[in-house]
C-alpha cells in the first residue's frame, strides 16, 4: 500500500492511502487524520477524512507547504507502527425495507435503471446471486458496517460492510441519476451503503428508509442538539429491519422528541477481526442486545 501525497493549490494537501477501498486503507487514513488533529500543528485549519484518504487545509502564511508535507510524512511512520485498534460506538439503525415511498420513487425512474422490468432490490439480489430480494436484505443486515466517511451531502454516511472481500455486496449505481430521492433512504452504490440525509437527486440503488433523522441543521432533535451531523468516521452500524407499524411508532417518537437511538461503546481491533471475522462481528452486534 503506497501512500500518495499531492498539493491542492497553496492551502491543501491530499493524502491517499490506496486507489481502492479496504479496511487497511481506511484504518491508516483514519489513524493519520486523527494524528494530525491531535498534533495541533500551527496553521492547520481543517482535516477532512474520506474512505481511504484525507485532506488537510492549512494557512501557508503560518506554515510553508513543504514543511506541512514533511510533518504529514512523519506522522505516517507513527501510524504504521501503532496498533490498529479503535475505540468507537455501535449504533442500531432501524430500516423499513421495501417501503412504499422509495418504491414509488424508483418506479418513476425505471428508464434510468439497468433493469427497468423489476425493482432496485430485485436487481441487486440477482446480480449478487440471491434467489430473491429477501435473501439480499438478510445479507445487508446480517453483518455490521463501518462508517468510513461522512460527506458529499451534509451528514450523509458512507458505510463499508465488515465481511470478507468475496462476501461483500456489490451493486452499481443507476445508469443515469434520479432527480429525486426520499429523505433518509437507505441506498447502495459500488461497495458502499448510505443513508440520504436530505431529499434530492441521487444515483444509488434504493432498498428502504429509516425513520431516524441523521442531520438537523436547526439542532432541534434531542440527540442532535450538540452537533447537527449524527455520524462520524469510525462509527459501526447495525441495521435493524422494521415493519410499517414500527416505522410509524418511531416517526411519532421523533416528532415528540422522545426517540433515543440505541448506541453502545465498543472496541474494534483490525488484526483480531481478520483472525476471526464472524466471531468479531457477533461480539459487536451482541453489544446492543440485552436491553
Amino acid at each position: 500500500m503506497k501512500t500518495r501525497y499531492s498539493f491542492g493549490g497553496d492551502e491543501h494537501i491530499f493524502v491517499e492511502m490506496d486507489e481502492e477501498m479496504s479496511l487497511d486503507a481506511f484504518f491508516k487514513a483514519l489513524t493519520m487524520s486523527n494524528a494530525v488533529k491531535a498534533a495541533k500543528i500551527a496553521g492547520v485549519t481543517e482535516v477532512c477524512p474520506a474512505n481511504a484518504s484525507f485532506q488537510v487545509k492549512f494557512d501557508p502564511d503560518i506554515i510553508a507547504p513543504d514543511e506541512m508535507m514533511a510533518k504529514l510524512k512523519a506522522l505516517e511512520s507513527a501510524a504504521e507502527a501503532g496498533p490498529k485498534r479503535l475505540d468507537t460506538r455501535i449504533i442500531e439503525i432501524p430500516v423499513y425495507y421495501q417501503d412504499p415511498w422509495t418504491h414509488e420513487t424508483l418506479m418513476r425512474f425505471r428508464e434510468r435503471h439497468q433493469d427497468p422490468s423489476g425493482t432496485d432490490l430485485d436487481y441487486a439480489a440477482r446480480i449478487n446471486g440471491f434467489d430473491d430480494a429477501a435473501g439480499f436484505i438478510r445479507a445487508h443486515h446480517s453483518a455490521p458496517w463501518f462508517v468510513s466517511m461522512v460527506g458529499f451531502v451534509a451528514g450523509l454516511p458512507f458505510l463499508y460492510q465488515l465481511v470478507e472481500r468475496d462476501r461483500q455486496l456489490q451493486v452499481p449505481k443507476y445508469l443515469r441519476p434520479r432527480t429525486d430521492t426520499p429523505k433518509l433512504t437507505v441506498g447502495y452504490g459500488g461497495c458502499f451503503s448510505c443513508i440520504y440525509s436530505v431529499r434530492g437527486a441521487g444515483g444509488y440503488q434504493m432498498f428502504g428508509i429509516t425513520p431516524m433523522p441523521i442531520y438537523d441543521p436547526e439542532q432541534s432533535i434531542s440527540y442532535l442538539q450538540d452537533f447537527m451531523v449524527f455520524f462520524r468516521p469510525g462509527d459501526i452500524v447495525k441495521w435493524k429491519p422494521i415493519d410499517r407499524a414500527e416505522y410509524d411508532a418511531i416517526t411519532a417518537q421523533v416528532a415528540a422528541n422522545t426517540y433515543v437511538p440505541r448506541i453502545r461503546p465498543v472496541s474494534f481491533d483490525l488484526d483480531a477481526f481478520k483472525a476471526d471475522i464472524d466471531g468479531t462481528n457477533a461480539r459487536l452486534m451482541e453489544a446492543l442486545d440485552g436491553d
Side-chain angles (χ1 to χ4, degrees), residues 124 127-130 135-145 160-171 188 190-192 273-282 285:
I127 67 171
N128 280 275
F130 294 97
F136 183 91
I137 290 171
R138 282 193 298 272
H140 188 261
H141 69 72
S142 63
W145 298 68
Y160 186 76
Q161 194 176 29
L162 289 171
V163 294
E164 298 93 333
R165 196 61 171 259
D166 61 1
R167 288 173 55 196
Q168 284 184 340
L169 303 173
Q170 301 279 342
V171 188
Y188 212 109
C191 67
F192 293 105
F273 171 78
K274 290 179 177 179
D276 183 10
I277 293 176
D278 290 337
T280 300
N281 285 347
M285 296 176 79

Side-chain angles (χ1 to χ4, degrees), residues 48-263:
C48 182
N51 293 317
S53 61
F54 68 96
Q55 184 163 285
V56 176
K57 183 180 181 182
F58 60 95
D59 185 343
D61 291 330
I62 296 176
I63 182 169
D66 287 342
E67 184 182 356
M68 186 72 247
M69 181 75 80
K71 287 184 179 294
L72 291 178
K73 290 182 177 180
L75 288 172
E76 180 182 2
S77 299
E80 289 179 334
K84 297 180 177 64
R85 187 176 182 277
L86 179 67
D87 290 324
T88 184
R89 58 183 184 167
I90 186 166
I91 305 154
E92 183 177 87
I93 303 296
V95 184
Y96 180 17
Y97 290 100
Q98 297 178 300
D99 67 282
W101 307 287
T102 60
H103 180 77
E104 184 277 331
T105 303
L106 67 87
M107 294 307 292
R108 281 193 280 124
F109 292 96
R110 294 327 288 166
E111 81 283 357
R112 305 184 183 211
H113 195 273
Q114 292 88 344
D115 182 8
S117 64
T119 68
D120 291 8
L121 269 168
D122 292 336
Y123 172 71
R126 177 168 54 80
I127 67 171
N128 280 275
F130 294 97
D131 293 335
D132 51 29
F136 183 91
I137 290 171
R138 282 193 298 272
H140 188 261
H141 69 72
S142 63
W145 298 68
F146 250 126
V147 175
S148 55
M149 169 182 164
V150 180
F152 184 72
V153 174
L156 183 151
F158 287 76
L159 299 115
Y160 186 76
Q161 194 176 29
L162 289 171
V163 294
E164 298 93 333
R165 196 61 171 259
D166 61 1
R167 288 173 55 196
Q168 284 184 340
L169 303 173
Q170 301 279 342
V171 188
K173 295 187 288 186
Y174 274 43
L175 297 175
R176 289 188 294 129
R178 300 176 303 274
T179 56
D180 189 23
T181 307
K183 179 181 177 180
L184 299 178
T185 289
V186 175
Y188 212 109
C191 67
F192 293 105
S193 198
C194 80
I195 302 172
Y196 282 77
S197 53
V198 296
R199 182 179 181 180
Y204 277 26
Q205 309 284 337
M206 296 185 291
F207 298 157
I209 200 163
T210 177
M212 177 182 155
I214 59 170
Y215 172 64
D216 178 18
E218 297 180 357
Q219 295 179 249
S220 60
I221 297 173
S222 59
Y223 59 86
L224 292 171
Q225 288 178 352
D226 292 335
F227 191 51
M228 67 180 73
V229 173
F230 180 75
F231 287 108
R232 51 184 182 250
D235 280 343
I236 299 174
V237 164
K238 174 185 178 182
W239 305 109
K240 180 190 177 185
I242 60 173
D243 58 20
R244 177 62 187 266
E246 292 171 297
Y247 177 90
D248 290 343
I250 294 173
T251 299
Q253 292 174 29
V254 170
N257 222 0
T258 59
Y259 182 71
V260 179
R262 298 187 69 220
I263 304 171

Side-chain angles (χ1 to χ4, degrees), residues 263-275:
I263 304 171
R264 295 291 181 272
V266 292
S267 295
F268 183 87
D269 186 293
L270 183 57
D271 292 332
F273 171 78
K274 290 179 177 179

